[in-house]
Amino acid sequence: MTKLSVNINKVATLRNSRGGNLPDVLKTAMFCESFGAQGITVHPRPDERHIRYNDVRELKPILKTEFNIEGNPIESYINLVLEVKPTQVTLVPDDPHQLTSNHGWDTIKNCGYLQDIIGRFKEAGIRTSIFVDPVVDMVENAKKCGTDRVELYTESYATGFASDREEAIKPYIDAAVAARECGLGLNAGHDLNLKNLTYFHRCIPWLDEVSIGHALISDALYMGLKDAIEKYRECLL
């Protein structure tokens, strides 16, 4: 079964735009779980423009499903993850000023760096995942970094889906097969939505998890959070 982890960053963005605690990030996370989400994802950035470090601390004790913390492994992020001890940590090579994630790790050039960080997390019993582009070499070298999983960055698939979905999915199938042959778990995320998720899952049915935030929260504005989560779960059957 492919799990759906709901990224709640956009809920925090809305809260932060006005101040106060509306919408309530903690309450939203609990509702997501009650509506069928099998995990909650957050991506705290140093400027805390959406999820704040304290949100992460407050979420951990109330969550009943898997907790995934994404981010660039700067020292403050590493310390936060080691303090909270989520189910999974996903390493993303973000620049602090990026609007959103836009590329995966070069697991060849950064192998030693990633090995050291992953070693710290694994000593704490935290499952690790590396955010990678759909490139076989990057997947295979992720294994050498010591990670448990890779997360395929799916922006190029989402961009190419409307014009030629078969061509758009090809590098992802190759990367997914490489991950399976290496014995790595497989996650995916970025710009997946109700239009393109079913086909992606049909072509790569051994996915462990998809992490979806922007599209799902946007759909929830039209159909409600419960229906949106149920629709995304249906794409993964």
Side-chain angles (χ1 to χ4, degrees):
M1 177 186 293
T2 302
K3 293 182 178 180
L4 171 65
S5 185
V6 176
N7 186 319
I8 58 172
N9 274 22
K10 284 296 183 292
V11 178
T13 302
L14 182 59
R15 174 199 63 188
N16 296 353
S17 70
R18 189 68 179 266
N21 194 39
L22 188 67
D24 187 320
V25 169
L26 304 185
K27 186 179 293 186
T28 301
M30 290 188 289
F31 272 120
C32 286
E33 289 185 321
S34 69
F35 295 153
Q38 296 143 305
I40 298 296
T41 291
V42 294
H43 189 144
R45 287 183 166 87
D47 62 5
E48 298 191 320
R49 64 181 182 266
H50 35 64
I51 286 292
R52 300 167 181 157
Y53 276 34
N54 201 51
D55 292 329
V56 178
R57 296 184 179 98
E58 291 182 345
L59 280 164
K60 177 63 187 325
I62 68 169
L63 295 181
K64 299 177 181 178
T65 60
E66 293 196 350
F67 191 21
N68 173 42
I69 305 178
E70 300 179 340
N72 192 331
I74 60 174
E75 197 61 29
S76 59
Y77 171 86
I78 292 172
N79 292 337
L80 177 69
V81 172
L82 291 175
E83 174 191 344
V84 172
K85 292 186 172 60
T87 314
Q88 177 175 267
V89 56
T90 301
L91 306 181
V92 182
D94 278 340
D95 181 276
H97 304 293
Q98 281 177 214
L99 181 63
T100 186
S101 306
N102 62 14
H103 65 283
W105 286 97
D106 184 328
T107 57
I108 300 172
K109 291 182 179 180
N110 296 288
C111 188
Y113 173 71
L114 290 169
Q115 282 177 333
D116 290 343
I117 293 166
I118 288 168
R120 293 174 68 180
F121 290 140
K122 295 187 83 170
E123 283 182 10
I126 304 167
R127 188 174 72 225
T128 59
S129 179
I130 298 177
F131 197 62
V132 295
D133 296 313
V135 178
V136 169
D137 284 349
M138 295 300 109
V139 172
E140 291 176 343
N141 279 276
K143 177 69 173 181
K144 297 177 183 179
C145 296
T147 191
D148 301 300
R149 295 184 182 184
V150 290
E151 177 174 336
L152 299 180
Y153 170 49
T154 49
E155 189 272 338
S156 62
Y157 163 74
T159 300
F161 178 81
S163 58
D164 190 342
R165 65 182 187 177
E166 292 182 1
E167 190 64 27
I169 196 68
K170 281 181 182 179
Y172 290 90
I173 295 174
D174 292 341
V177 169
R180 183 169 61 179
E181 290 177 348
C182 288
L184 291 173
L186 186 65
N187 300 338
H190 205 90
D191 289 346
L192 294 173
N193 57 42
L194 290 175
K195 294 181 179 179
N196 60 40
L197 180 57
T198 298
Y199 183 73
F200 191 89
H201 182 252
R202 187 185 305 151
C203 293
I204 311 173
W206 62 92
L207 277 167
D208 290 299
E209 173 189 294
V210 293
S211 174
I212 303 177
H214 183 79
L216 190 151
I217 298 302
S218 296
D219 287 328
L221 295 176
Y222 309 125
M223 64 181 70
L225 186 59
K226 182 176 186 293
D227 286 350
I229 289 172
E230 290 176 352
K231 290 291 185 184
Y232 278 87
R233 286 285 305 271
E234 288 172 8
C235 294
L236 301 171
L237 296 177

